[in-house]
Amino acid sequence: MTAVLQDPKERFLAEFLAVQKDLPGQGLSWVESRRRRALDRFEAQGLPTDKTEDWRFTPVGLLVDKAFEQAGAAPKNFEPARFALCDFPVYRLVFVNGRYVSNLSRPLPKGTLLSSVSSILKTEPKLLEPYLGRESSGHAFNNLNTALFRDGAVLHLSRGTVLDEPVHLLFVSTAGKEATASYLRVLIVTERGSSAKIVEEYAGEGEYLTNSVTEVLSGEGSRVELIKLQRESAQARHVAALRVRQEKDSVFSAHSIALGALLSRNDVDARLEAEGADCTLNGLYVLDGAQHCDHNTVIDHVKPHGTSRELYKGVLDGRSRAVFNGTIAVEKDAQKTSALVYNKNLLLSENGLVNTKPEFKINANDVQCRHGATIGQLSGDALFYLRSRGLSLAAARSLLVYAFASEMVDALSILPLREALAEVLHKRLPELN
Amino acid sequence: MLEIKNLHASVGDKPILNGIDLKVKAGEVHAIMGPNGSGKSTLAHVLSGREGYAVTQGSVLYQGKDLLGLTPEIRAREGIFLAFQYPVEIPGVTNKYFLKAAYNALRKHRGQPEISAGDFLKLIKEKAKLVQMDPAMLNRAVNAGFSGGEKKRNEILQLAVLEPKLGLLDETDSGLDIDALKIVAQGVNAMRSDQRAFVVVTHYQRLLDYIVPDFVHVLSGGRIVRSGGKELAHQLEKEGYALLQPEEVAK
């Protein structure tokens, strides 16, 4: 039995002191100083409240109402593979409770480095130093992540390396009686002309907190598709940040598929730092009960001829809530930028709620930018049309919901994943079959 | 097959149908004509079970049973098909998937097992020929981005696949050029049989050159004010709805 809960901020600071000696990179001065710096920033920021901009609609209390303590190792005989959505040919790393547990499923092609953060910090820390936790930005939970990260994955592709199969990073949490926390880090560096598809999958059981930060350095002309499957347990809290830096003519796309967790919060910060960069952010959230899901995205066009497009779609049932903030900034130099940001929501119940705000901050004068947001219900005309052909009301509803959501599933380039996700959606819409 | 007696219906407080009487037997084609606002489309909608209409008086028997108490899907499964004036676009659902879901819903209702994927594909390809539809359109989302003519042909394709007992065509000719009109009419004519009846709602006589009706009824003010053979349509074409006597015109 724990004593009366401390002030959450004090608790996190105390946790750092308690665990810092065990964290990877101990003894490397650059790691230690970056952790310390992040913690200082966290201390200065304090935890967000409902008065903090970009957190106004987020039930932040859910992130601090428990003493989520760093999780221990997985129980014996624990089989994380069963948490995966589907099996497909991949290079796979598995993490349980924030710790790396299992080996690659196959040998890597030349020019590819794929390993856990903790092991690279032991063997080749120099490789990570230019990237890992170097940039300091983000909110309090992102800074906590930099201070406290326990493990994660590193993917480094040397010039021209084309990965033939996707990388699958499976993060499984298993909480016992006490709520636990995992602090995860992913670093993806793709050098010039290389190409990869990465699937980050989050799943688990029990009540726990996942705090993850993914950094992508997308080199000149490289292509990266990053799919995030958030299938956390119903009681889980999930706070994740994605930071992307794009070089010339790089093509980056991220797909955020959010199905699980009581509260999930996704912050994306993408910067198109050189000419001709192309960025796609897609998202799908399917919520029910008391689920809450946030997407806060910022795309920053720094140089000319950049393209970005965002489409986030949401399906809300029960008394679930969603927040979308999508900002696209076009800086003075970034002429000939083409950008669009859309958020479309389908409300299935009276009690669902969406707060949405797509917006532009434009400082260039020769740009094409469009944005929009919709919150709608199933069309009565479409329902009648389907029923007039013999489909039951329930089947007609399911079909229309599926039709709305499937666009985001179809946008994934990995076929087995698309099929498995389609099946998940079908199962959540039981009248469909 | 269909027996409408003294049917009154309104939208909100506004009465639209004011006592329709109509008998349709299997094998017959009835045309319902009338000026705008006469209640033609309302009649088609009420028969198909669309929400938003209140039946205030009268009855409709379909195959000897009360029709008005049935949901739209049960009416469809019992063999009533409404070809829409404005077919609805359903992005994200392919024509093929939609047709199969509908086809199997009807089979299930009749206690039959689902059709195999192979057999179904064969069936819809054959039916697509009937309306001269490119089979590639079967893989496109239902009506999404279809031209007006393609949408109407798609309605007739659905009719051909679902093989209803009673087909209601609601202004199927509206917005069609003559070539598309001929294709649509050919599709309907191919479906005519002793077992099947059609009620064709149209503003213009033009469609009836191609789908030749057995009976023509003129609707005005929510009532059938004249009935006759196909020649009544020609007379209307020549003289316009002005031929209606003052007492026949809506009050």
Side-chain angles (χ1 to χ4, degrees):
Chain A
M1 185 66 198
T2 43
V4 177
L5 283 181
Q6 282 172 278
D7 171 64
K9 182 175 157 186
E10 297 301 322
R11 200 171 68 225
F12 283 116
L13 293 172
E15 179 178 354
F16 178 77
L17 293 176
V19 301
Q20 62 172 333
K21 289 211 157 42
D22 302 329
L23 294 174
Q26 190 64 17
L28 293 166
S29 63
W30 64 269
V31 177
E32 288 181 20
S33 70
R34 285 177 198 179
R35 285 190 189 277
R36 170 53 73 177
R37 199 176 62 193
L39 192 78
D40 290 347
R41 203 167 310 106
F42 164 76
E43 194 172 0
Q45 284 170 315
L47 287 160
T49 69
D50 58 7
K51 304 277 189 299
T52 313
E53 182 63 23
D54 286 345
W55 286 86
R56 283 188 298 147
F57 303 114
T58 310
V60 66
L62 286 173
L63 296 172
V64 296
D65 63 345
K66 295 234 158 48
F68 295 100
E69 290 185 7
Q70 288 224 8
K76 272 185 188 149
N77 304 324
F78 185 74
E79 287 175 36
R82 73 189 160 90
F83 285 90
L85 173 66
C86 63
D87 196 15
F88 53 109
V90 285
Y91 303 102
R92 180 175 290 118
L93 296 186
V94 181
F95 299 80
V96 175
N97 291 346
R99 292 156 202 262
Y100 174 60
V101 294
S102 100
N103 219 325
L104 294 171
S105 44
R106 56 165 72 192
L108 287 161
K110 204 164 167 278
T112 310
L113 173 86
L114 174 63
S115 190
S116 69
V117 170
S118 58
S119 62
I120 305 265
L121 279 174
K122 275 188 202 129
T123 56
E124 296 177 77
K126 281 262 171 284
L127 189 72
L128 301 183
E129 190 173 348
Y131 313 110
L132 187 68
R134 183 173 166 194
E135 257 198 78
S136 51
S137 65
H139 55 61
F141 291 98
N142 302 154
N143 283 316
L144 268 182
N145 181 287
T146 302
L148 288 167
F149 73 85
R150 168 76 58 178
D151 211 339
V154 177
L155 172 67
H156 187 283
L157 295 185
S158 63
R159 218 178 238 224
T161 302
V162 175
L163 261 190
D164 52 341
E165 303 284 3
V167 169
H168 184 203
L169 307 175
L170 178 62
F171 301 104
V172 179
S173 292
T174 169
K177 280 182 191 140
E178 303 292 329
T180 56
S182 298
Y183 293 86
L184 294 157
R185 199 86 189 182
V186 176
L187 176 65
I188 297 163
V189 181
T190 55
E191 289 188 8
R192 187 200 285 190
S194 61
S195 140
K197 298 175 183 181
I198 302 106
V199 180
E200 279 182 30
E201 181 170 7
Y202 297 86
E205 58 191 5
E207 188 168 19
Y208 59 87
L209 169 71
T210 299
N211 182 330
S212 77
V213 171
T214 298
E215 290 172 294
V216 179
L217 291 113
S218 189
E220 182 175 339
S222 68
R223 302 182 74 90
V224 175
E225 178 178 347
L226 177 63
I227 299 168
K228 177 175 158 184
L229 300 176
Q230 189 273 94
R231 304 171 50 244
E232 304 273 32
S233 80
Q235 287 306 308
R237 282 76 149 164
H238 178 98
V239 185
L242 169 62
R243 193 175 297 145
V244 183
R245 299 292 175 256
Q246 288 189 246
E247 293 178 8
K248 191 167 183 286
D249 298 328
S250 59
V251 179
F252 173 81
S253 65
H255 305 260
S256 169
I257 309 289
L259 304 172
L262 182 60
L263 167 65
S264 61
R265 162 103 191 179
N266 301 276
D267 286 79
V268 182
D269 157 20
R271 203 157 75 214
L272 284 61
E273 295 181 326
E275 288 193 22
D278 182 306
C279 179
T280 301
L281 300 181
N282 284 333
L284 171 67
Y285 41 94
V286 182
L287 310 174
D288 199 354
Q291 281 183 289
H292 178 104
C293 179
D294 274 22
H295 283 95
N296 287 269
T297 69
V298 178
I299 295 180
D300 190 2
H301 286 264
V302 182
K303 294 287 180 188
H305 296 287
T307 304
S308 68
R309 58 195 82 70
E310 282 187 64
L311 174 59
Y312 285 79
K313 280 187 158 187
V315 178
L316 290 92
D317 206 344
R319 54 204 164 84
S320 61
R321 295 182 171 212
V323 178
F324 177 79
N325 289 311
T327 303
I328 295 187
V330 182
E331 298 189 14
K332 212 168 71 186
D333 261 4
Q335 301 293 3
K336 305 286 181 191
T337 288
S338 164
L340 48 93
V341 50
Y342 285 95
N343 175 227
K344 300 180 180 176
N345 297 278
L346 187 56
L347 287 183
L348 300 180
S349 74
E350 304 268 304
N351 299 316
L353 184 70
V354 178
N355 284 290
T356 178
K357 193 176 72 174
E359 63 175 340
F360 280 104
K361 293 176 179 165
I362 301 176
N363 287 309
N365 53 23
D366 183 12
V367 299
Q368 278 194 318
C369 296
R370 281 182 292 156
H371 69 296
T374 59
I375 301 171
Q377 291 164 325
L378 291 175
S379 144
D381 283 347
L383 282 172
F384 175 66
Y385 191 63
L386 296 174
R387 294 175 76 193
S388 79
R389 300 299 182 249
L391 275 69
S392 70
L393 177 60
R397 284 174 60 95
S398 290
L399 187 58
L400 291 178
V401 173
Y402 181 75
F404 175 83
S406 64
E407 180 184 5
M408 306 321 297
V409 176
D410 293 343
L412 308 179
S413 76
I414 302 171
L415 180 65
L417 211 60
R418 226 162 45 217
E419 289 173 345
L421 263 180
E423 202 175 312
V424 168
L425 285 180
H426 278 242
K427 275 186 190 149
R428 283 178 82 145
L429 306 166
E431 296 296 331
L432 209 55
N433 291 317
Chain B
M1 175 176 292
L2 183 72
E3 194 171 355
I4 304 174
K5 281 185 194 161
N6 191 31
L7 183 67
H8 288 66
S10 49
V11 175
D13 293 338
K14 196 181 167 206
I16 310 279
L17 301 182
N18 296 305
I20 303 265
D21 290 288
L22 180 67
K23 268 189 194 175
V24 178
K25 293 193 182 117
E28 295 176 349
V29 174
H30 290 247
I32 309 276
M33 301 186 71
N36 288 329
S38 59
K40 305 185 300 283
S41 284
T42 298
L43 177 61
H45 286 158
V46 168
L47 292 177
S48 64
R50 186 168 201 139
E51 285 173 13
Y53 300 91
V55 172
T56 49
Q57 261 191 75
S59 65
V60 179
L61 292 180
Y62 170 69
Q63 297 187 308
K65 285 184 278 189
D66 172 44
L67 179 71
L68 297 175
L70 304 178
T71 59
E73 54 268 37
I74 299 296
R75 295 182 200 202
R77 292 172 199 171
E78 289 284 337
I80 292 181
F81 181 94
L82 171 68
F84 282 54
Q85 181 178 6
Y86 303 110
V88 181
E89 298 192 10
I90 319 253
V93 180
T94 64
N95 241 341
K96 198 160 76 183
Y97 186 95
F98 172 49
L99 280 167
K100 193 169 173 216
Y103 190 80
N104 279 329
L106 268 54
R107 286 182 67 89
K108 194 176 167 195
H109 187 68
R110 296 193 293 255
Q112 296 164 329
E114 288 194 359
I115 188 168
S116 77
D119 286 350
F120 186 71
L121 202 61
K122 229 165 78 184
L123 173 80
I124 54 172
K125 281 192 173 160
E126 182 192 309
K127 301 288 188 183
K129 271 189 212 153
L130 191 69
V131 290
Q132 300 179 26
M133 184 187 279
D134 179 353
M137 292 187 75
L138 296 168
N139 291 317
R140 284 176 51 187
V142 180
N143 294 327
F146 285 25
S147 70
E150 286 169 339
K151 283 181 183 173
K152 295 300 173 75
R153 272 193 276 167
N154 207 26
E155 292 296 285
I156 304 308
L157 170 68
Q158 292 168 26
L159 175 96
V161 170
L162 300 178
E163 301 187 319
K165 295 189 179 86
L166 174 63
L168 309 169
L169 310 187
D170 184 12
E171 309 257 7
T172 295
D173 51 330
S174 67
L176 292 189
D177 62 33
I178 195 70
D179 293 329
L181 183 73
K182 281 181 185 169
I183 293 168
V184 161
Q186 276 166 18
V188 172
N189 287 331
M191 295 295 294
R192 287 178 77 158
S193 88
D194 294 349
Q195 309 300 314
R196 185 172 291 129
F198 285 96
V199 174
V200 181
V201 169
T202 180
H203 186 78
Y204 304 102
Q205 183 268 339
R206 189 178 69 147
L207 176 67
L208 306 179
D209 286 341
Y210 300 97
I211 302 174
V212 180
D214 302 301
F215 303 94
V216 174
H217 310 278
V218 181
L219 207 60
S220 177
R223 283 178 302 119
I224 290 173
V225 292
R226 275 199 201 187
S227 293
K230 62 185 176 207
E231 63 289 345
L232 177 56
H234 289 286
Q235 198 188 344
L236 276 172
E237 174 73 3
K238 247 187 249 154
E239 304 175 28
Y241 289 107
L243 71 82
L244 297 177
Q245 299 301 311
E247 67 270 20
E248 294 172 332
V249 177
K251 291 183 182 81

